[in-house]
Amino acid sequence: MAAMNKASTTKRRAPRLLPSLLIGASSVFLLTGLSAWLAVRASLPQIDGSITLPGLAAPLSLERDALGTAVLRGENRLDLARGLGYLHAQERFFEMDLTRRSAAGELSALFGDKALARDKERRVHRLRARLTERLAQMSAADQSLLNAYADGVNAGLSGLHLRPWQYLILRGEPAAWTAVDSLLVVGEMFWMLQGGSIDAGFERAALRERAGDALFDWLNPRGGHWDAALDASPVKPATLPGPALLDLRKAQPSPAPQAARSVQAVEEQVLGSNNWAVAGSRSADGRAILADDMHLDLGVPSIWYRTQLEIKGKGGQVLRAAGLSLPGMPSLVVGSNGQVAWGFTNAYGQWFDWIKLPAELAPARLKSHVETIAIKGAAPQQLDVLDFDGSPIVRERAGQRYALRWVAHLGEAYNLSLDNMLWAGDAAAALRIAQASGIPHQNILVADAKGQIGWSVAGRLWTQAPDEAGYARFQTIQSPKHEWLTLGDYPQLLNPPAGQLWTANNRQLGGAQAQLIGDGGFDLGARAQQIRDRLSERPIQTAASLGAIHFDTEARFIKTWGERLMPLLNADSRHAEAAAQLKQWSGRADAEQVGYRLIRTVRLRTLDALWAAWTTPLLGAMQADEKLRFKWRSQFEYSAVQALTERPAHLLPPGFANWDAFQLAQVDAALMELTQDGKQALAQASWGQYNTSRIQHVMSKAVPALSAWLDMPSAPQGGDANLPFVARPAFGQSQRMVVSPGLEAEATLSMPGGQSGHPLSPFYGAGHADWAAAKPTPLLAGPTLHRLSAN
């Protein structure tokens, strides 16, 4: 009975005990959550009040509007550099830290051995050592600007009540900022903008060795009818290879099974930007107009920082420049100073050489270095690095070693000349400044208040080897080194007769002028052509009409593939549903469109299948290995379309009775993917279903539970690669700017991801909703909501 009473008591207590346990657990959770919230809150930037900023020559005002736009008002340039460094550090120090560590190969010190492999890849380039040497060689003015900025960064970091919240999660400590770290930020931009071209350049050179010139030139065209060069220069198409060069009717190794590769695996690389401009002769008020959108990986916060610099001169006049800065650097990247506006797209010139090394090398041409890599939670590791004539030996294949000669290894490629854009008075002066600037190579478009426009390449250019010796060829140890091109020899266009300019990572010029740039893998040109045509459609343009091009989703390029597919689908009753979707397609890359996604998927699968079939005989089994395979690039479009049009029997992939059967097989594979092997109806497979935005904070990628707190809302979106409105789930328009110099009050500037890296900041995600909704936000700051007075 006692036992029964004890059991009965336990049962009676259990219902009362469970809520107590839950309340206790919840209390612990709430206390832990409250402690975490308080810790995170302690690292919030100061946005009001007064601060002491060492080194200031005069009082400085640091203001912010509703978007967090930083407005810096002072009396000299160095003071503004200190103030911008302070603001960057308070809002973005962790992101700045990742950038410098990524460039230098120092991520393992923060993340442990999981970052070691990547650090080793970067450390062989020894950018920190190279840029430390470069800093000592820079002009006194550049050094002063970098040091003032670094002092401001460290003041901003020490001004936080607690170290930035990311370090609390990582259990790490932030290290002080140095002037060299700012140069490393530029180095990371070299990596971001040119790293893919370097890898592609190696593959092209290796393929040429295997294929020979004639077959290689056909597989890797240099241009075609999609080109939209600024000088209207054409490129002669390569000749279709005959059976003597490539005959798939002979027994050959089979390519990887088509079903093994999803459309995500065969996506063509997109890296670049768009910009366009019209002269005063093409605008209603006689002023030139510039539009710019730079395409990059998108994250939270934005890579850019909304910045407005105002310097009061001795006579009371105020220099005002507004645009975007890059945290880690003291200068505006793009913007307008009231007289001149400027914007960039990546320039795909030949900024590197792959040097094929013999087995025996003269010891005098070799130099060894030992790099020590700090690793969180483990002992440091030493890495032996070997340079040949100053170029690191970075790759080995089957016993063959290769050195990389890259402009980013050269100290002269780095300087702060771009900062002089603050004082540029007209288009010609702006082009000269850009040409002398030490930045990754960019197509710069400028527009001025006088109605002038111009184009050139920003960044230090070196002399190029002739095409027959340089393009897609390994260099030898006897190959001559490059010399710096004199600024007077830079290619440029000022005030073109048609009154319009455009670039979109495409080939800009032909002939001798093109030789000054080289070819590092230009984009196809379909984007550029559509932008050019939009500019030509209206004799008089406005800021609104130029801004509309940002959102142009007409898929002129993909339409050509739809026209090719439609007769095939109409002739086969099994594909009636697919044919119906193509007939219903609007001709645009809009989120709700199924037809666009279907045609696009068929195209990607077709190009991938043809590339595998045509390169496997040359490269062997490596083409079936996802990690080793050489990839096709955008210009391969010309080769594929020529074969699909001419239908040569010797180029038909094995296993198909004819070219129609091959193309229908790609349709069937695409349909299987879109319907998820029959799990959803084709009508549900919209472009937006695949192209849903996914703009994340770096910490939520590592800790998915933080996603709901840190990431921007996901939504189906239109846009794509080969049209003006470039949009992918985590890639696209990192900013949109439209400005007519002198009318900055009417100009617009939008960016995703927000201004601040702190999730409790009022500026976290600020402006993102407007960017996502295609709603322009002003270039100039709005009413001041917060003010810091610095002394």
Side-chain angles (χ1 to χ4, degrees):
M1 179 66 71
M4 290 179 64
N5 287 339
K6 183 177 181 180
S8 179
T9 303
T10 302
K11 288 180 181 180
R12 286 195 302 269
R13 283 184 176 178
R16 294 196 294 265
L17 184 60
L18 184 58
S20 300
L21 291 173
L22 289 174
I23 291 171
S26 299
S27 299
V28 171
F29 178 80
L30 288 172
L31 287 172
T32 303
L34 180 60
S35 298
W37 182 83
L38 290 172
V40 170
R41 192 177 185 281
S43 64
L44 266 170
Q46 181 180 349
I47 57 178
D48 288 296
S50 299
I51 59 170
T52 299
L53 195 53
L56 287 182
L60 180 68
S61 176
L62 309 176
E63 303 171 8
R64 291 175 172 97
D65 68 355
L67 293 174
T69 304
V71 181
L72 296 91
R73 295 191 170 99
E75 297 183 13
N76 67 78
R77 181 68 187 95
L78 293 183
D79 281 358
L80 265 65
R82 284 187 175 85
L84 188 60
Y86 180 93
L87 296 178
H88 280 170
Q90 290 244 314
E91 300 277 11
R92 301 283 195 89
F93 187 85
F94 178 72
E95 290 78 19
M96 294 163 58
D97 191 15
L98 293 188
T99 302
R100 65 175 172 177
R101 289 178 183 275
S102 177
E106 298 170 353
L107 289 169
S108 297
L110 191 60
F111 295 101
D113 58 8
K114 55 180 171 289
L116 184 59
R118 189 179 188 281
D119 275 356
K120 288 181 176 180
E121 290 178 359
R122 291 292 178 91
R123 191 62 73 89
V124 295
H125 299 270
R126 301 179 56 251
L127 281 190
R128 181 173 288 282
R130 294 176 189 271
L131 294 178
T132 298
E133 293 178 5
R134 173 55 180 164
L135 178 64
Q137 302 164 355
M138 295 178 79
S139 69
D142 280 2
Q143 291 189 38
S144 295
L145 193 60
L146 289 171
N147 286 327
Y149 178 80
D151 289 345
V153 170
N154 292 321
L157 181 62
S158 63
L160 296 172
H161 293 297
L162 193 65
R163 64 188 185 275
W165 64 274
Q166 298 93 333
Y167 296 97
L168 302 177
I169 296 175
L170 294 171
R171 298 180 181 179
E173 293 289 338
W177 194 261
T178 69
V180 172
D181 291 331
S182 289
L183 297 182
L184 283 168
V185 171
V186 181
E188 180 65 6
M189 295 305 291
F190 269 106
W191 271 114
M192 183 185 299
L193 298 171
Q194 297 182 6
S197 292
I198 291 171
D199 291 336
F202 182 91
E203 293 181 3
R204 283 194 295 267
L207 182 59
R208 185 187 287 278
E209 283 193 337
R210 302 282 188 94
D213 289 346
L215 184 53
F216 172 84
D217 288 343
W218 183 73
L219 288 170
N220 288 267
R222 305 286 295 278
H225 68 275
W226 288 110
D227 279 348
L230 294 174
D231 62 357
S233 55
V235 171
K236 184 180 179 180
T239 304
L240 188 84
L245 288 178
L246 182 62
D247 192 344
L248 300 187
R249 294 171 296 190
K250 299 177 180 179
Q252 299 287 356
S254 299
Q258 183 73 24
R261 288 170 57 76
S262 68
V263 72
Q264 288 94 337
V266 305
E267 285 281 12
E268 58 190 317
Q269 184 188 36
V270 183
L271 184 64
S273 307
N274 300 331
N275 58 14
W276 55 98
V278 294
S281 60
R282 298 281 305 280
S283 73
D285 60 5
R287 292 177 183 266
I289 312 172
L290 171 77
D292 182 70
D293 59 62
M294 297 182 285
H295 308 152
L296 294 168
D297 289 332
L298 304 181
V300 184
S302 169
I303 187 174
W304 310 117
Y305 190 81
R306 298 178 66 103
T307 303
Q308 187 168 310
L309 304 177
E310 299 185 9
I311 305 175
K312 186 178 181 180
K314 293 181 179 179
Q317 74 279 11
V318 175
L319 168 69
R320 181 182 66 191
L324 297 170
S325 60
L326 175 65
M329 287 294 293
S331 305
L332 287 184
V333 176
V334 298
S336 182
N337 67 9
Q339 299 297 319
V340 176
W342 68 99
F344 293 125
T345 72
N346 200 33
Y348 284 88
Q350 182 80 24
W351 319 127
F352 58 89
D353 293 322
W354 282 102
I355 307 170
K356 191 173 184 179
L357 301 174
E360 299 295 328
L361 291 168
R365 301 182 73 176
L366 294 172
K367 186 173 183 179
S368 60
H369 309 271
V370 176
E371 290 282 313
T372 300
I373 303 177
I375 307 169
K376 180 182 177 182
Q381 287 194 20
Q382 290 190 332
L383 180 69
D384 294 324
V385 176
L386 192 61
D387 285 355
F388 170 77
D389 285 353
S391 298
I393 299 173
V394 299
R395 190 166 293 188
E396 183 173 338
R397 293 280 181 91
Q400 173 63 58
R401 294 184 300 172
Y402 302 87
L404 177 65
R405 181 189 294 139
W406 184 20
V407 70
H409 293 148
L410 306 178
E412 294 92 333
Y414 299 81
N415 62 50
L416 267 62
S417 292
L418 186 67
D419 196 67
N420 292 321
M421 294 295 281
L422 295 177
W423 294 276
D426 58 29
L431 292 181
R432 290 193 296 270
I433 291 168
Q435 292 162 352
S437 296
I439 61 174
H441 305 86
Q442 301 289 295
N443 294 298
I444 183 169
L445 290 191
V446 299
D448 69 23
K450 302 173 185 176
Q452 302 181 103
I453 59 173
W455 162 87
S456 189
V457 177
R460 298 299 309 278
L461 298 185
W462 62 13
T463 55
Q464 298 283 348
D467 263 3
E468 61 272 15
Y471 173 68
R473 287 176 171 85
F474 290 122
Q475 302 300 294
T476 70
I477 61 172
Q478 289 82 31
S479 300
K481 290 186 177 181
H482 302 274
E483 303 292 337
W484 292 114
L485 198 66
T486 60
L487 298 183
D489 292 331
Y490 271 51
Q492 75 172 43
L493 293 172
L494 185 62
N495 297 323
Q500 62 183 46
L501 289 169
W502 63 92
T503 75
N505 318 114
N506 56 306
R507 181 178 64 86
Q508 291 83 43
L509 300 171
Q513 291 285 291
Q515 185 60 41
L516 297 174
I517 302 172
D519 184 350
F522 296 119
D523 193 33
L524 181 64
R527 267 188 298 133
Q529 188 177 113
Q530 193 161 328
I531 293 170
R532 178 201 65 190
D533 293 347
R534 291 298 191 205
L535 294 175
S536 301
E537 287 171 1
R538 298 171 58 120
I540 298 297
Q541 296 279 356
T542 65
S545 64
L546 259 64
I549 298 175
H550 286 302
F551 310 105
D552 184 4
T553 61
E554 184 182 357
R556 296 180 178 182
F557 171 71
I558 287 294
K559 281 180 184 178
T560 63
W561 280 83
E563 292 164 357
R564 183 176 296 108
L565 287 176
M566 201 62 184
L568 281 173
L569 299 181
N570 284 334
D572 189 336
S573 60
R574 297 181 302 113
H575 296 95
E577 186 180 8
Q581 288 295 339
L582 262 62
K583 290 176 183 176
Q584 295 170 20
W585 178 41
S586 68
R588 312 187 73 86
D590 292 335
E592 71 277 5
Q593 296 298 315
V594 174
Y596 177 81
R597 182 181 176 187
L598 175 58
I599 300 169
R600 179 186 189 277
T601 305
V602 171
R603 172 184 174 262
L604 290 175
R605 286 191 167 278
T606 299
L607 267 62
D608 198 60
L610 291 176
W611 178 257
W614 296 339
T615 58
T616 296
L618 306 170
L619 300 172
M622 64 174 286
Q623 286 302 82
D625 187 319
E626 195 63 46
K627 294 181 179 179
L628 298 177
R629 72 190 309 266
F630 287 2
K631 301 174 180 64
W632 57 270
R633 310 292 168 172
S634 62
Q635 303 279 3
F636 180 62
E637 169 81 12
Y638 296 118
S639 315
V641 168
Q642 186 180 16
L644 292 171
T645 301
E646 299 186 22
R647 301 184 163 213
H650 62 285
L651 296 182
L652 177 65
F656 300 100
N658 52 49
W659 281 94
D660 282 355
F662 166 75
Q663 290 181 269
L664 287 172
Q666 311 317 308
V667 173
D668 290 339
L671 290 171
M672 288 290 286
E673 183 162 338
L674 266 63
T675 62
Q676 301 174 15
D677 293 338
K679 295 177 183 177
Q680 76 169 6
L682 179 60
Q684 295 177 280
S686 68
W687 172 231
Q689 183 189 61
Y690 178 82
N691 197 37
T692 296
S693 63
R694 184 75 168 143
I695 301 176
Q696 297 181 274
H697 192 285
V698 65
M699 294 302 293
S700 74
K701 295 177 182 179
V703 186
L706 297 176
S707 180
W709 188 41
L710 297 177
D711 296 348
M712 296 297 102
S714 293
Q717 59 181 358
D720 199 7
N722 288 302
L723 45 84
F725 184 22
V726 171
R728 292 282 180 82
F731 182 90
Q733 298 169 332
S734 67
Q735 48 78 236
R736 305 183 193 113
M737 181 177 71
V738 182
V739 56
S740 182
L743 297 177
E744 283 77 12
E746 301 172 15
T748 60
L749 175 65
S750 306
M751 71 179 195
Q755 179 86 331
S756 176
H758 198 294
L760 299 182
S761 166
F763 314 127
Y764 190 81
H768 178 86
D770 287 335
W771 174 89
K775 180 182 177 182
T777 49
L779 168 66
L780 296 182
T784 298
L785 299 182
H786 304 277
R787 179 180 288 107
L788 276 174
S789 297
N791 295 285

